Amino acid sequence: MRFGERLAERVRAMGTCGVVGLDPFLDRVPGVVPGASRAETADVVRRFCLDVIEVTAPLLPAIKPQAAFFEVLGSAGAAALEDVVAAARDAGMLVLLDVKRGDIGSTAEAYAVATLDDDGPIGADAVTVSPYLGPESLRPFERRVPAGKGMFVLVRTSNPGAGAWQADTGVAREVADWIASTAGDDELGPIGAVVGATVPAAEVAALRQRMPRAWFLVPGFGAQGAGPDEIRPHVRADGLGALVPSSRAVLFPPSGARDADPRSAIAARAAQLAADTAIDRFFSAGV
Amino acid sequence: MRFGERLAERVRAMGTCGVVGLDPFLDRVPGVVPGASRAETADVVRRFCLDVIEVTAPLLPAIKPQAAFFEVLGSAGAAALEDVVAAARDAGMLVLLDVKRGDIGSTAEAYAVATLDDDGPIGADAVTVSPYLGPESLRPFERRVPAGKGMFVLVRTSNPGAGAWQADTGVAREVADWIASTAGDDELGPIGAVVGATVPAAEVAALRQRMPRAWFLVPGFGAQGAGPDEIRPHVRADGLGALVPSSRAVLFPPSGARDADPRSAIAARAAQLAADTAIDRFFSAGV
């Protein structure tokens, strides 16, 4: 089954489009000691992430590890990421690896092997990619679609500076049209778009119209300020089509506090995310 | 001393703007055995790269490792990259790590720690970065300038699809103006631009005029088709300002052959690159 359909099946089965954002901030992960070696810290991060996976896998369909927070720990962090992705897949979660790679030719091919291939080191289900270098930067990832893999192309982010240098007019339209052309016979295709939660609703609606069968990965929910209302324009009339990652609001308590019992606290916050992003919530809104 | 000035000093001292592109293609590196484990392959790649550094450090001012070719080997490749960067810096080469990262906020900060910081896992002198997410995606790298670090922002590449989705008009101009503003009192500033070798000469001349004190990192030389003539528009009248990486043409013999003695063959090809990219060659052309 192709990636977009696998994702639809899992989102329908779990009734939520919430995604665990796995951003293990070193100053927040319980047990990380300042001054410890990278290897020691990576072990603490690995154990924390494995706990997160164990308690959130029954609640949410997918997990989005942020590569940078593992790369900061060097080779020890890379080893932890490999273990964490394997554990998430074993637990039945789809793994959307947030790497935002963007290169061409043999380099882009190497990034695809490094992140997606099942006989490579990580073997994620999908990755985020940057289209800045042009269509050929996406091809190596696209070639993994028949193997069940997917990708989310940065189309329109909602960070303050996105309007300044991100060519949202021309590039977003061109990329959107290409994404729309890749859906094939799938109700929801294997290649999706990153479309920020706080992008103006009219712009989201236009992108949704251009890409009716694309998954939108929608950063900016929860700790970053957007709520269910901001997500509505991203969702299709059938309640599907948006994926809503939330990291800090699931992994850590608010305002820098520490969890007395991290596992049950994370489970409770993941359940809250599942409720906030229940697909029937969006479905009913669309009727 | 700031990065751009360090680079100028070293380029002047060696008389060449050639850069070793360290792209260890697994099907070309001597001794890589198909079917070997990633750890075994990473050891072979590490030894090959250390040989490359040893024989090219006396000839060329800088080395540009391509992160993807190490990431393809997972955590073992990450460990090899750490060792290779340390060896290159010990040998006196400036290390321009080609990672093309582009993200925002705490994620971009983590990438900067992961690639540039001397107490981080790699500690390169400079990195390549993608500006697609806007000005704030460059800030964490810019904050390392006082520590002697630098970056090369993707401004205008020359791959076939670059014109299609890369917003060379608006984005290239905006990024170029920002880069120009960061030079401070330096004759050559710490923040440079990636400008492809086969970008039309008139466009390169316009970018050079906008960024008179920026280093241009110029991919596309040698195996990728461009020669010294294509580099001339990138170079300033004083013979400085361009950095010309070449990978396959230095690391491997042409047409898939094998070197009988890789170390001396690589040294000979590196000497050829140094001659082809001698700065007096460009200086005399500018007079």
Side-chain angles (χ1 to χ4, degrees):
Chain A
M1 200 187 296
R2 304 217 304 175
F3 171 73
E5 298 290 88
R6 282 201 288 145
L7 189 52
E9 188 174 84
R10 200 161 154 82
V11 167
R12 271 200 202 93
M14 310 206 66
T16 163
C17 60
V19 172
V20 185
L22 198 60
D23 299 8
F25 288 90
L26 294 185
D27 56 352
R28 302 296 308 275
V29 171
V32 167
V33 180
S37 72
R38 281 191 287 275
E40 289 166 330
T41 303
D43 278 338
V44 175
V45 167
R46 176 193 280 106
R47 281 197 301 272
F48 174 75
C49 292
L50 295 180
D51 277 349
V52 169
I53 290 163
E54 203 177 304
V55 302
T56 62
L59 298 167
L60 294 160
I63 191 163
K64 183 177 79 66
Q66 176 53 260
F69 291 101
F70 296 88
E71 290 181 25
V72 82
L73 295 168
S75 55
L81 178 61
E82 293 168 19
D83 294 346
V84 164
V85 171
R89 296 194 68 186
D90 284 349
M93 301 180 101
L94 290 181
V95 178
L96 325 176
L97 184 63
D98 200 351
V99 289
K100 298 189 181 67
R101 295 299 190 263
D103 214 305
I104 55 170
S106 51
T107 306
E109 172 68 21
Y111 277 133
V113 174
T115 55
L116 286 180
D117 283 3
D118 287 328
D119 58 359
I122 297 181
D125 294 288
V127 286
T128 54
V129 291
S130 171
Y132 188 65
L133 290 184
E136 68 256 51
S137 64
L138 309 178
R139 296 281 175 261
F141 301 95
E142 186 188 10
R143 281 197 292 272
R144 271 72 185 177
V145 163
K149 303 298 183 174
M151 65 168 150
F152 296 88
V153 186
L154 291 175
V155 170
R156 182 65 169 94
T157 60
S158 48
N159 53 298
W165 291 354
Q166 191 175 314
D168 45 288
T169 48
V171 178
R173 265 203 308 273
E174 290 236 33
V175 178
D177 289 346
W178 175 75
I179 289 173
S181 76
T182 62
D185 295 331
D186 302 336
E187 180 51 33
L188 280 150
I191 299 180
V194 176
V195 180
T198 56
V199 169
E203 207 179 322
V204 175
L207 289 169
R208 178 41 83 200
Q209 197 166 23
R210 275 192 122 85
M211 296 178 275
R213 292 187 291 144
W215 282 102
F216 286 7
L217 181 63
V218 188
F221 191 82
Q224 288 176 62
D229 284 347
E230 280 75 21
I231 306 302
R232 278 209 175 85
H234 301 73
V235 183
R236 311 193 322 165
D238 64 356
L240 295 180
L243 286 173
V244 180
S246 176
S247 179
R248 272 165 288 182
V250 173
L251 268 47
F252 308 114
S255 66
R258 292 275 166 180
D259 288 320
D261 174 358
R263 286 172 56 99
S264 54
I266 292 166
R269 291 190 294 260
Q272 184 62 52
L273 175 63
D276 291 343
T277 58
I279 56 173
D280 57 8
R281 191 171 180 141
F282 298 112
F283 178 68
S284 58
V287 174
Chain B
M1 201 187 295
R2 303 217 305 174
F3 171 74
E5 298 290 87
R6 280 201 289 145
L7 189 53
E9 189 174 84
R10 199 162 155 80
V11 167
R12 269 199 204 94
M14 310 205 68
T16 162
C17 60
V19 172
V20 185
L22 198 60
D23 300 7
F25 287 90
L26 294 185
D27 57 351
R28 301 298 307 275
V29 171
V32 167
V33 180
S37 73
R38 280 191 286 275
E40 289 165 330
T41 303
D43 277 340
V44 175
V45 167
R46 175 193 281 106
R47 281 197 301 272
F48 175 75
C49 292
L50 295 179
D51 277 348
V52 170
I53 289 163
E54 202 177 307
V55 301
T56 61
L59 299 167
L60 294 161
I63 191 163
K64 183 177 79 68
Q66 177 52 260
F69 291 101
F70 296 88
E71 291 182 25
V72 82
L73 295 168
S75 56
L81 178 61
E82 293 167 19
D83 294 345
V84 164
V85 171
R89 296 194 68 187
D90 285 349
M93 301 180 102
L94 291 181
V95 178
L96 326 176
L97 184 63
D98 199 352
V99 289
K100 297 188 179 68
R101 296 298 191 263
D103 213 305
I104 55 171
S106 51
T107 307
E109 172 68 23
Y111 278 133
V113 174
T115 56
L116 286 180
D117 283 4
D118 287 328
D119 59 359
I122 297 181
D125 295 288
V127 286
T128 55
V129 293
S130 171
Y132 188 66
L133 291 184
E136 67 255 51
S137 64
L138 310 178
R139 295 282 174 261
F141 302 95
E142 185 189 10
R143 281 197 292 271
R144 270 75 185 176
V145 163
K149 304 297 183 174
M151 66 167 148
F152 296 89
V153 185
L154 290 175
V155 169
R156 181 64 169 94
T157 60
S158 48
N159 53 300
W165 292 354
Q166 191 177 316
D168 46 288
T169 48
V171 178
R173 265 204 307 273
E174 291 236 32
V175 179
D177 290 345
W178 176 74
I179 289 173
S181 77
T182 62
D185 295 331
D186 301 336
E187 180 51 34
L188 280 150
I191 299 180
V194 177
V195 180
T198 56
V199 169
E203 207 179 321
V204 175
L207 289 169
R208 178 41 82 199
Q209 197 166 24
R210 276 192 123 84
M211 294 178 276
R213 293 187 290 144
W215 282 103
F216 285 7
L217 181 63
V218 188
F221 191 81
Q224 288 175 64
D229 284 347
E230 279 75 23
I231 305 303
R232 275 206 178 86
H234 301 72
V235 183
R236 312 193 322 166
D238 64 357
L240 295 179
L243 286 173
V244 180
S246 176
S247 179
R248 272 165 288 181
V250 172
L251 268 47
F252 308 114
S255 66
R258 292 274 166 181
D259 289 320
D261 175 358
R263 285 172 57 98
S264 54
I266 291 166
R269 291 189 295 260
Q272 184 62 52
L273 174 63
D276 291 343
T277 58
I279 55 172
D280 58 7
R281 188 171 183 140
F282 298 112
F283 177 68
S284 57
V287 175

